[in-house]
Amino acid sequence: MRWVNAALQLMLFAAALALYLHTLNPDVQPADSGEFQIAALTLGIPHPPGYPLYTILGWLVSRIPVGSPYARISFLSALAAAATLVLVSVTVQLLVASGERGRKANSAADCSWAPVAAGIIAAVALGTSTTFWSQATTTNVRSLTAFFTALMVFAAVQVYAAIRTQPRDLATVRRYLIIFAVASGLGVGHHVSLVFTSAVLSVFLLALFVRARLSAGMLIGALLALIATQLVWLYLPLRDAAGARFAPGNLTTLSGLLYHIFARGFAGDMLAFAAPQFLSDRLAVVPTLLLFEFSAAVLIATLAGLALLLWKRQVFVAVLLTAIAIHGFITITYRAPQTVEYAIPVWVMMGILFGAGLAELAAVAASLVKHLPDNARLMALRRILPAAMATLLLLLGGYMVIADAAGRLSSFDQLRQDRSTRTHAAGALNAAAPGSVILAQWHQATPMWALQDIEGLRRDVKVEYVYPRGAQPYADTFAEQAAASAQAAPTYVTSVFAVPYQTRGLVATPVGNLALWVIDSGSAQRHTSAVNALAVFDQRIAVLGVTVTKKTAQAGQSAPIVLAWTALRPVQDGESLTVRVMRNDGRLAANADVRLDPGQPVGAQRTVRLSLRIPLDLQPGNYRVLVGAYRAGAAGLVELKDGAGVDFTPVSEVRIALSSTPAVSMHPLSVGLSDGAWLTGIDYDTGIADKLRLLTHWQSGAHPLTVTVQNAGGQALAAPAVLPAATDGPGYFTLIFDMPPARQVHLAIDRQAGRISVPDATAGERYVPFSDQMILVGSSIQHIGSQLKVDLQWLSARPLTHDDIVSVRLQGNAYRSAHDGEPALGALPTLKWIAGSLVTDRHPFDLGGYEGALRGSVVVYDAFTEEPLPPLDERYENLISFAVN
């Protein structure tokens, strides 16, 4: 059995490594990942605490002459993650075995193989959880953190088991104490957050020593090993003295070195949300974090297994729960938008507990046979039933875990192929003028530095990271630096902050379809002539250009538009330009508006990038893009005419195609039709009183189909809609029906026998897509005294690589307030989401003494560019609102 187990663990390592290599991101990556790529390849010094061990290991694996330099660094994450899973699998077996003291040893018939199977299932559950998988396939420090967590727990269990044996195996105790000390020393040196898990396990092991009356001399070897691990910090002053990349220049002094090692610059973030006014909201995020990582079935199985383990007084399980609670509390109260990643040690220990609990559940299932009557005719059943019961439960657990993994695989396949980071970074560098400056946030600065340092791309362009300055709003800091830089050199920015720019007389003009804008100061604004204008409205507003940067857009996406105009005479208050697409029946399909600035100098050119939302149900075909202008006043909207006396002028064309990916749904279905079409899901939106919107998601077949919504009596509830045929490979489409509230809804399809019954709508159900990225699927409001909690439920439409901000705005009589932030109070930024991620996003408000009526609205915008994410529902006119009772 020992050799079989070893072979299984080797297979587990190989399979995990193969999966991670298949989904590995082989290219330049943003934010910290870009910095780590540069540091590892050049033996640099990353941000505090400096990560010397990671940098050295990264440099070593970068010498492997296979793949791109970026892929080699990410390979370290894959190696560490695969090794972690083997440690988790073996630790589950050890933990189960350590609880067998005093019991009769299991025989083969008693399912001694169950802990092995449970360990492997637990490893697969952890290895395919959302954050663990993503960290295993990118350049980051989290996978090594997971490895040291697993190694500490593994060594501690070995010491625990060896002390409990009779006679005690003191050689094993010494050996694994040294391994524990090495794992603790290197782990805490790698990431200081591991000090909490290390401390809990260390106290437990010391308590064991005292209780077992073991010699303190046995700890000397472990203590020496712990001290030896700290020599890795010598890397920092040595490389700082050599002028390494990112070296701060003060690490050769003791004070500077300690400041860097202990990351004192982030000290104010520790326990920042532990205060009572924040803590309840932070703790409310915990269920969302758990369900983001593991399915509800895995969490339920973990709880059931834990109950059994604690009931049987498994001491080490209580120790792990203590470590989870302490690390989890520190993580959830830490002020940083990476909570889900900082919790990696929690996910590792939960994986171990899931496996141990699953093995215990299997043992209980097998023991049920003892309650059978002692009958000779049941003897054969008594022999096979234990193994059968345990096998059935473990197969169920394995199926549950593999099904979860299969659901996530397509997302990580898409992320593996995503090259948006390189596209934007290389595009920005190549578009910049010689000798220019690009001001960027951290997310965009590091990949541009990586391309410059590693590939030598456009080293003549200076990329500057705009550091936050204490209490000053970051937007003001960015605008100040942009204004100063524009006076000395051609300046570009990767972020737009409209009001701070405008206050300082800066104009940001988009550069093509890149996340890049060129800065014009007030003294250097571009002026232009309206001779070749596409249209002139009211003889004052000249549209100079409307560029559809993506000529083919899929239904359910956004079409980016670049709009340029100038004012021939002063702009009046309330005037706007609008870009529209109309349906074939004359109804509005999509629009994007830009409000004009009355202070705009006459003759000065302005350029802006807009997102034209493409409805989910816009039929494939070619559509004209129209431009118009209007003035909003007390009497309503007044359309401005062009020289020919018309409201809207055709300026371009866009082609709409079927979606290439299926829609995510709160009610997934799998109903096949005779011509190859499939109904893949349905959703409802109940956001408008006394109206119900039914969205039906399809994979198109070989021929167009007419679909009608009917009630139980066969009466039509809405006008029929046509499902277009797929002509260029698989295509997906959503048919939308607006109807009165109804129950027992059916879909009738021409040329198809029978009708399809669909689930009924539930109260408060929502389905409002924001572009093709995220979908608002629900909301709830808690009013407790002067505190108002708005919880939004988001469903991720695909794996996201953008960092979006959700803004909830409240308005009442003389009351206005807004809460903007990354989802789940920063714990789950959108760039961590994969397709199907369901996130509860809390927005707290303090109403003070206000008691009147309130109206709320939801806006989503890009964190770096402030470009809004348009909702794909024309009924809300780009503003999703809700009532506050």
Side-chain angles (χ1 to χ4, degrees):
M1 182 66 182
R2 181 179 179 183
W3 291 107
V4 173
N5 190 15
L8 288 173
Q9 303 311 316
L10 184 61
M11 291 170 62
L12 171 64
F13 177 83
L17 191 59
L19 175 66
Y20 296 147
L21 289 178
H22 172 71
T23 54
L24 194 75
N25 186 326
D27 210 342
V28 64
Q29 295 161 38
D32 289 356
S33 295
E35 180 198 25
F36 291 138
Q37 288 174 330
I38 299 169
L41 287 164
T42 64
L43 286 177
I45 300 177
H47 65 273
Y51 307 102
L53 178 63
Y54 177 84
T55 306
I56 294 169
L57 293 176
W59 182 83
L60 290 173
V61 297
S62 73
R63 305 300 100 186
I64 301 173
V66 178
S68 71
Y70 312 105
R72 297 172 203 164
I73 308 301
S74 293
F75 178 63
L76 175 59
S77 300
L79 277 175
T84 300
L85 298 185
V86 173
L87 287 171
V88 166
S89 176
V90 174
T91 302
V92 167
Q93 299 175 45
L94 293 170
L95 188 55
V96 172
S98 71
E100 292 295 323
R101 186 185 180 204
R103 301 184 200 173
K104 180 181 177 181
N106 285 332
S107 64
D110 289 329
C111 311
S112 60
W113 49 268
V116 177
I120 293 175
I121 292 171
V124 175
L126 173 65
T128 57
S129 63
T130 306
T131 300
F132 192 94
W133 194 342
S134 71
Q135 301 305 293
T137 55
T138 56
T139 299
N140 65 86
V141 297
R142 311 295 178 198
S143 293
L144 207 56
T145 302
F147 172 77
F148 285 124
T149 302
L151 186 57
M152 281 193 294
V153 176
F154 165 75
V157 173
Q158 288 280 21
V159 173
Y160 173 59
I163 289 177
R164 285 166 56 86
T165 59
Q166 294 296 335
R168 291 167 181 155
D169 187 351
L170 297 184
T172 298
V173 171
R174 288 191 183 93
R175 181 167 64 254
Y176 283 103
L177 272 177
I178 291 174
I179 293 175
F180 176 78
V182 170
S184 295
L186 292 179
V188 172
H190 169 67
H191 203 285
V192 71
S193 66
L194 284 179
V195 70
F196 304 107
T197 300
S198 173
V200 171
L201 295 175
S202 297
V203 168
F204 172 68
L205 293 179
L206 286 174
L208 278 180
F209 258 65
V210 172
R211 184 175 181 181
R213 299 179 180 178
L214 296 178
S215 169
M218 294 184 65
L219 299 174
I220 294 177
L223 182 61
L224 292 175
L226 179 65
I227 294 171
T229 59
Q230 302 311 295
L231 293 175
V232 72
W233 292 112
L234 291 175
Y235 170 89
L236 296 180
L238 290 173
R239 291 302 296 160
D240 188 67
R245 186 72 162 97
F246 304 123
N250 65 343
L251 302 186
T252 54
T253 67
L254 181 60
S255 60
L257 180 62
L258 293 178
Y259 189 90
H260 198 84
I261 288 175
F262 291 106
R264 295 298 301 163
F266 302 120
D269 296 329
M270 182 69 71
L271 299 176
F273 296 124
Q277 64 266 34
F278 303 123
L279 187 57
S280 63
D281 289 331
R282 298 296 296 181
L283 293 177
V285 172
V286 171
T288 296
L289 292 175
L290 292 172
L291 289 169
F292 185 82
E293 292 305 316
F294 304 106
S295 68
V298 168
L299 293 175
I300 291 171
T302 302
L303 287 175
L306 275 175
L308 284 172
L309 291 167
L310 292 174
W311 179 64
K312 294 187 176 182
R313 298 183 180 179
Q314 248 286 27
V315 175
F316 199 85
V317 170
V319 172
L320 284 183
L321 285 175
T322 302
I324 287 173
I326 293 175
H327 186 96
F329 180 80
I330 297 297
T331 298
I332 204 69
T333 58
Y334 187 74
R335 182 171 50 206
Q338 309 290 345
T339 304
V340 69
E341 292 180 10
Y342 284 123
I344 278 280
V346 170
W347 311 141
V348 171
M349 290 184 281
M350 282 187 61
I352 293 171
L353 292 179
F354 167 61
L358 191 62
E360 191 63 41
L361 289 171
V364 169
S367 68
L368 292 177
V369 69
K370 296 178 181 179
H371 299 287
L372 289 174
D374 191 8
N375 188 300
R377 286 184 295 181
L378 296 176
M379 289 304 295
L381 185 60
R382 289 169 64 93
R383 285 194 294 270
I384 65 171
L385 190 58
M389 293 290 289
T391 301
L392 180 63
L393 189 141
L394 290 170
L395 284 175
L396 180 62
Y399 171 79
M400 171 177 65
V401 167
I402 292 173
D404 291 342
R408 298 184 181 114
L409 179 59
S410 61
S411 287
F412 287 102
D413 261 335
Q414 291 178 53
L415 289 171
R416 169 180 62 89
Q417 301 172 53
D418 180 75
R419 295 295 180 271
S420 59
T421 298
R422 171 176 287 275
T423 298
H424 290 298
L429 288 171
N430 287 323
S436 61
V437 175
I438 298 178
L439 303 180
Q441 296 192 45
W442 185 247
H443 190 86
Q444 305 104 330
T446 61
M448 286 190 280
W449 287 336
L451 292 178
Q452 289 180 318
D453 289 8
I454 298 169
E455 300 181 24
L457 181 65
R458 292 301 307 275
R459 289 180 174 171
D460 63 303
V461 176
K462 185 178 182 181
V463 178
E464 293 185 7
Y465 165 51
V466 180
Y467 289 87
R469 296 179 189 166
Q472 183 183 42
Y474 187 68
D476 290 334
T477 300
F478 209 106
E480 281 184 7
Q481 193 163 332
S485 178
Q487 300 300 318
T491 299
Y492 300 82
V493 296
T494 60
S495 297
V496 175
F497 302 102
V499 174
Y501 282 11
Q502 185 177 358
T503 301
R504 291 163 178 81
L506 302 179
V507 176
T509 301
V511 179
N513 198 31
L514 300 169
L516 187 72
W517 288 258
V518 61
I519 292 296
D520 294 328
S521 64
S523 59
Q525 292 185 9
R526 292 177 293 173
H527 287 67
T528 186
S529 168
V531 173
N532 296 318
L534 298 177
V536 178
F537 295 97
D538 201 29
Q539 299 181 355
R540 296 181 300 104
I541 303 169
V543 177
L544 304 175
V546 179
T547 304
V548 180
T549 58
K550 193 159 83 172
K551 291 296 185 182
T552 298
Q554 297 179 8
Q557 290 185 341
S558 295
I561 303 280
V562 176
L563 174 65
W565 76 94
T566 189
L568 305 181
R569 294 202 299 271
V571 173
Q572 300 178 20
D573 286 335
E575 291 187 331
S576 299
L577 286 171
T578 180
V579 180
R580 297 185 174 184
V581 168
M582 309 301 291
R583 296 178 185 268
N584 294 328
D585 60 6
R587 291 181 297 135
L588 177 66
N591 72 291
D593 297 357
V594 56
R595 186 158 188 168
L596 306 185
D597 177 15
Q600 175 180 334
V602 172
Q605 179 177 331
R606 292 289 185 267
T607 306
V608 67
R609 186 162 41 236
L610 305 172
S611 290
L612 197 62
R613 54 179 173 76
I614 308 301
L616 294 167
D617 64 336
L618 188 59
Q619 292 282 333
N622 294 322
Y623 292 84
R624 296 189 304 170
V625 177
L626 311 173
V627 66
Y630 63 87
R631 183 187 308 115
L637 298 182
V638 177
E639 303 286 355
L640 304 183
K641 310 292 185 179
D642 67 6
V646 299
D647 298 337
F648 295 97
T649 302
V651 290
S652 188
E653 191 174 79
V654 62
R655 178 176 176 269
I656 305 302
L658 295 177
S659 175
S660 59
T661 56
V664 296
S665 175
M666 295 296 289
H667 304 286
L669 299 170
S670 183
V671 180
L673 304 181
S674 59
D675 74 333
W678 287 81
L679 176 63
T680 62
I682 68 104
D683 289 284
Y684 292 98
D685 185 73
T686 61
I688 298 179
D690 300 323
K691 293 184 180 180
L692 182 65
R693 169 162 282 196
L694 168 64
L695 302 96
T696 61
H697 311 298
W698 303 82
Q699 178 177 340
S700 292
H703 307 286
L705 295 175
T706 300
V707 180
T708 305
V709 180
Q710 298 178 349
N711 60 17
Q715 298 172 317
L717 298 174
V722 176
L723 175 67
T727 56
D728 301 319
Y732 303 89
F733 197 73
T734 295
L735 296 180
I736 297 177
F737 303 90
D738 290 318
M739 58 190 189
R743 311 287 292 178
Q744 297 182 335
V745 176
H746 304 270
L747 301 179
I749 300 135
D750 63 336
R751 302 193 304 275
Q752 304 290 323
R755 298 187 300 171
I756 301 172
S757 299
V758 297
D760 288 333
T762 57
E765 193 167 354
R766 306 298 301 270
Y767 195 90
V768 184
F770 282 72
S771 189
D772 59 342
Q773 297 189 39
M774 51 200 294
I775 305 160
L776 180 66
V777 294
S779 62
S780 61
I781 298 171
Q782 302 177 50
H783 202 159
I784 307 172
S786 65
Q787 300 296 310
L788 188 73
K789 318 287 186 183
V790 179
D791 288 338
L792 306 176
Q793 284 76 48
W794 296 101
L795 179 66
S796 181
R798 59 182 177 86
L800 302 182
T801 57
H802 293 82
D803 199 3
D804 293 319
I805 300 296
V806 177
S807 175
V808 173
R809 303 167 184 182
L810 297 183
Q811 182 174 346
N813 295 326
Y815 178 88
R816 282 178 175 78
S817 183
H819 183 275
D820 292 28
E822 294 169 309
L825 298 175
L828 276 173
T830 56
L831 48 77
K832 312 294 181 188
W833 298 5
I834 62 173
S837 294
L838 190 61
V839 175
T840 298
D841 173 30
R842 169 156 292 188
H843 295 263
F845 292 87
D846 187 348
L847 301 180
Y850 183 82
E851 297 181 353
L854 286 172
R855 191 73 184 169
S857 61
V858 179
V859 175
V860 182
Y861 59 90
D862 188 282
F864 305 118
T865 67
E866 291 196 342
E867 293 181 349
L869 210 61
L872 305 183
D873 193 324
E874 74 288 349
R875 300 174 304 161
Y876 295 110
E877 298 180 354
N878 289 333
L879 185 67
I880 308 304
S881 59
F882 58 91
V884 180
N885 298 323

